[in-house]
Structure formats: C-alpha cells, structure tokens
Amino acid sequence: MKGSHEMKWEENVRKVVPYVPGEQPQKKNVIKLNTNECPYQPSPMVEKAMKEMDYRTLRLYPEFPEKTPLTKYLAEYHQTEEEQVFIGVGSDDVLSMAFLTFFNSDRPVFFPDITYSFYDVWADLYRIPYEVKPLDADFCIRKEDYIGKNCGGVIFPNPNAPTGVLMGVDEIEEIVKANPDVVVIIDEAYIDFGGTTCLPLIKRYDNLLVVRTFSKSRAMAGCRIGYALGGKKLIRYLNDAKYSVNSYTMNRPALRLGAESVKDEAYFREICGKIIATRQRSEKELAALGFTFPKSYGNFIFASHEKVGAKEIFEKLKEQDIYVRHWNRERIDRYLRITIGTDEQMDALFAALARI
C-alpha cells in the first residue's frame, strides 16, 4: 500500500536530469584544472573590502539588486545605463532566468550540440522545446543553422565551451538581425581571454542579451556573481521574473566585493594577460607532446592526443592528483578540457603527460 501511495505522488514530480559540474576534490595539494577557475587571487581591493566588512550588517536584507554599487560600476564600466544591467547569483542564475523569461513559445530554441551542458537541462526543467545544431568538423558554429522561421530563441557561448572556438561579431550580428522576433543570448563567460565582445550590438538590437560572469577572469567563482546587459525592456522583464522567484537575490558581501573588483581594472588586465600568455605557451607544449586542439580564446584548451585515449590520460592524471575534464559523449570523448593554471601548475601537468 505504501509503495502504491508513493507512486501516485511521484507522478506529479517535475523530473529532470541535473547538470553535472566538474569534480571538486577535497584533498589538499591537488592541481585542479577541471572547472575553469582562475588560478590567481581576487583583486587586492576585494581583499581589503572583505577585511573591512562589518558582520553585523548581515542581519539586514541586502539592497534590491537593480540599483546597487555593483550595477552602478558595471554600467559605468560598460558605458551603459544602470537600467541595462541585471545581476544574479553567478551567470548560471542569470541564464536560468533568461531561459524562463524569454524562451516562452512553442517553437524550439536553437543551441549547438557541443556547448555548455546546462542549456538542455534548463530547457528540460522549464519544458522548453529545443533543437541542437551540430558544429562543423572544425567545431565551428554555422551561422546558417540559426537563421530559420521556426526559431524560438538562440543561445550559445562565445567563445564556445568546451571547445574555446570564437565566432566573429559580424556573424553574430547576422544571427541577431535575422531573428528579430525572438531573443538571442550570447554567453560571454570567456570573452576576456582574447575574444572580441558583441556588447556594442546591444545599442542597435533590442532582442540581444549578453551574459557575463565574475567566476573566470575576475577570480571570484566562490562569490557567485553573474550579470547580463541588454536593452532596458529586456532587463525589466528579467527583473520581473527574478523578483517573482526571490526579491533579495544577491547577498551583501557579493554586492560589495563585486563592485570593488570592477573598480580594479589594472589588476583585472594583469591576470587576464598572465592567463593568455600561459595558454599560448601551453599550446606549444601540448603540440610537442602530440596533442591537437582548436585555437582557444578561453582560459582552457580542448585537446586530443593522436595515440593515447582521453579517458586513459584523464584517469592517469587523476592518479597523480591532477584533475582535468573529460566527457563520455559522442564527438568529444577523445578530448580533454584543460583549464589554464599558473605556469608552475602547467609545468607539473606537462611533466605528468610526458610520463604517461
């Protein structure tokens, strides 16, 4: 009788296969190159502000996120109005709200077959129809696949993840221009590592939303800060949806520390420059070891070895306390995504690969 009763309520459960993040090892002294975190510390201005914070203010609700020092500095930084900035608990929160808000028709949303694997999870969770568009043989997005009458929306990262391949702004503009009756979302989580942003397009197209994160280039994955930029009407709709779920979306420390990070442009440029330089050196080292990979514009390299299987390399690196990312998925099971760490971490990786 109990089993029968359980089955009845289970029929009304919203079931979804969740996103699986990269492994978070609990051991100390591991080399963690599997979740695209920044290998450097946050800005010294963030450290200073954190030490100055008064813990007693935590008894109070934070400011409403649409008008905060963080939105103010982000608007100034990107030369937009504050009403064009939406902030959330990491870019995953921002993207989830964007799915819920803008992909609300019977037509399928388009995104690549090899891309950020949270997209199909949100589509399933919110019951949004979708179609995946295969990347070409070089892992490039084909703009023609995103121009069609049956489109209910478009989303993809630029540079794409996990491949690191960049699409030009001109091609993105063609996609946005060809889809005036739906929202196009460009996920720029990795744009600070060498790509050209499509942000200037938001001044010309009211159906374009650009999403960013503090987790990669600003070294603040633990603070969970993401944001979106777009026309005022898009942002207003996003806020309406978000406040219908949770009105106080950002905590006080995140609002304060995020603002300090935006203010420190010199440090931001310094750590991005270091990561780009290490990525370029790593490409040469990996090529010498027999790896091939598309040109990356992210803080990672998507590499395949000519002789040794990716799963074998993944497991043997893990035995040496070096963590990279591997997916047992069609088309990409021969590849490893290797986050760019410090020069010292990458040297340890190369030595381990040479042993393997």
Side-chain angles (χ1 to χ4, degrees):
M1 192 70 181
K2 183 180 177 183
S4 172
H5 179 69
E6 286 176 351
M7 284 303 296
K8 284 183 178 178
W9 67 255
E10 269 195 296
E11 291 172 5
N12 299 312
V13 172
R14 186 181 291 270
K15 300 180 183 72
V16 65
V17 178
Y19 169 75
V20 180
E23 189 174 350
Q24 296 285 3
Q26 298 304 306
K27 291 192 293 183
K28 293 182 179 180
N29 301 318
V30 302
I31 296 176
K32 192 168 177 293
L33 307 174
N34 67 331
T35 52
N36 292 348
E37 294 153 321
C38 181
Y40 302 107
Q41 303 305 316
S43 159
M45 290 174 63
V46 172
E47 180 185 15
K48 182 174 182 289
M50 195 168 185
K51 290 177 178 177
E52 292 172 352
M53 287 184 66
D54 183 354
Y55 82 98
R56 290 170 294 187
T57 61
L58 295 179
R59 70 181 182 82
L60 302 170
Y61 283 113
E63 299 157 277
F64 249 39
E66 61 185 306
K67 286 279 186 179
T68 68
L70 179 55
T71 53
K72 175 180 178 290
Y73 283 115
L74 283 171
E76 290 176 0
Y77 183 78
H78 291 295
Q79 298 180 328
T80 62
E81 295 182 57
E82 203 167 347
E83 292 80 10
Q84 292 181 269
V85 181
F86 173 88
I87 55 176
V89 186
S91 62
D92 288 341
D93 180 41
V94 176
L95 290 164
S96 175
M97 279 297 107
F99 266 71
L100 183 64
T101 307
F102 301 124
F103 298 156
N104 190 33
S105 76
D106 296 328
R107 293 175 294 169
V109 173
F110 295 169
F111 50 82
D113 64 334
I114 300 170
T115 193
Y116 186 29
S117 52
F118 225 140
Y119 294 162
D120 58 350
V121 173
W122 287 317
D124 287 338
L125 177 65
Y126 296 132
R127 305 299 187 256
I128 298 166
Y130 67 92
E131 286 182 14
V132 295
K133 303 296 182 179
L135 300 180
D136 69 15
D138 297 318
F139 292 137
C140 294
I141 292 171
R142 294 180 291 216
K143 69 181 180 189
E144 297 80 11
D145 291 340
Y146 297 84
I147 298 172
K149 293 180 180 178
N150 195 38
C151 179
V154 173
I155 181 168
F156 57 83
N158 195 49
N160 196 8
T163 64
V165 175
L166 185 74
M167 176 180 261
V169 175
D170 291 346
E171 289 187 289
I172 290 174
E173 182 171 12
E174 288 185 57
I175 293 171
V176 177
K177 195 173 182 179
N179 291 286
D181 59 336
V182 301
V183 174
V184 176
I185 302 172
I186 305 300
D187 180 354
E188 290 192 340
Y190 301 100
I191 200 66
D192 297 318
F193 300 109
T196 302
T197 180
C198 65
L199 265 179
L201 298 181
I202 67 173
K203 295 177 181 177
R204 300 204 295 275
Y205 300 96
D206 60 4
N207 64 320
L208 174 64
L209 189 76
V210 178
V211 177
R212 296 282 190 88
T213 179
F214 279 55
S215 298
K216 318 298 182 186
S217 55
R218 292 196 177 274
M220 295 181 71
C223 227
R224 310 307 298 129
I225 303 171
Y227 63 102
L229 297 152
K232 291 181 182 179
K233 187 175 283 189
L234 277 185
I235 300 304
R236 188 168 71 247
Y237 282 134
L238 263 179
N239 277 320
D240 287 347
K242 187 61 181 175
Y243 296 156
S244 299
V245 175
N246 182 358
S247 54
Y248 297 105
T249 57
M250 302 290 291
N251 63 63
R252 281 177 171 270
L255 290 171
R256 171 80 188 277
L257 302 179
E260 294 301 315
S261 175
V262 177
K263 284 194 260 182
D264 196 349
E265 177 70 3
Y267 184 79
F268 169 71
R269 293 294 168 196
E270 179 188 344
I271 62 173
C272 286
K274 283 183 181 179
I275 290 166
I276 292 168
T278 304
R279 182 188 68 204
Q280 291 170 342
R281 185 173 75 87
S282 298
E283 288 173 337
K284 294 175 183 175
E285 296 283 352
L286 289 171
L289 287 164
F291 286 90
T292 57
F293 39 84
K295 171 62 182 171
S296 176
Y297 288 86
N299 65 336
F300 55 87
I301 296 172
F302 195 55
S304 175
H305 197 267
E306 56 190 14
K307 293 179 182 177
V308 187
K311 188 174 182 183
E312 181 183 347
I313 297 172
F314 168 79
E315 290 172 348
K316 287 185 175 179
L317 284 175
K318 192 172 175 180
E319 288 171 6
Q320 300 177 63
D321 289 332
I322 300 174
Y323 288 74
V324 296
R325 195 82 194 267
H326 176 252
W327 290 269
N328 280 312
R329 283 181 51 195
E330 189 178 354
R331 294 191 73 189
I332 62 171
D333 58 350
R334 296 185 300 107
Y335 286 82
L336 298 169
R337 192 194 67 190
I338 303 167
T339 301
I340 301 301
T342 63
D343 284 322
E344 293 76 17
Q345 288 175 324
M346 300 310 289
D347 286 339
L349 170 70
F350 304 142
L353 289 172
R355 290 192 294 271
I356 292 170

